[in-house]
Amino acid sequence: MRDEKSYIALDDFEHRIVVDCMNEMRNNLIANGKYTDAVDEVLLKIIDAKQKKFKVIYKEA
């Protein structure tokens, strides 16, 4: 079965918010004595994600 990949466009502010939220979720899991493996993997993917520049073209309908 092939893994499906998803892409999302975030600016610097949005990227920081996502990282902060994931880190807060990880801290809550640690405080509750639960496993953080899944959150750790996603957090590393977000932090290590490459930045790609692209143009957005708006067209009137």
Side-chain angles (χ1 to χ4, degrees):
M1 185 170 163
R2 185 173 177 198
D3 291 338
E4 186 175 322
K5 292 187 179 187
S6 299
Y7 297 92
I8 185 169
L10 301 172
D11 61 17
D12 290 337
F13 179 71
E14 293 168 337
H15 185 264
R16 276 192 305 246
I17 289 174
V18 172
V19 171
D20 288 343
C21 289
M22 293 299 294
N23 196 31
E24 186 174 327
M25 180 185 287
R26 182 178 181 273
N27 290 338
N28 288 336
L29 289 172
I30 290 171
N32 293 331
K34 297 184 178 180
Y35 293 108
T36 62
D37 298 340
V39 177
D40 291 340
E41 288 179 24
V42 174
L43 189 58
L44 286 174
K45 284 183 180 182
I46 293 170
I47 291 171
D48 294 337
K50 295 179 184 177
Q51 291 185 357
K52 182 177 180 180
K53 292 184 181 183
F54 60 92
K55 286 186 179 182
V56 177
I57 300 172
Y58 294 101
K59 294 184 179 182
E60 292 184 26

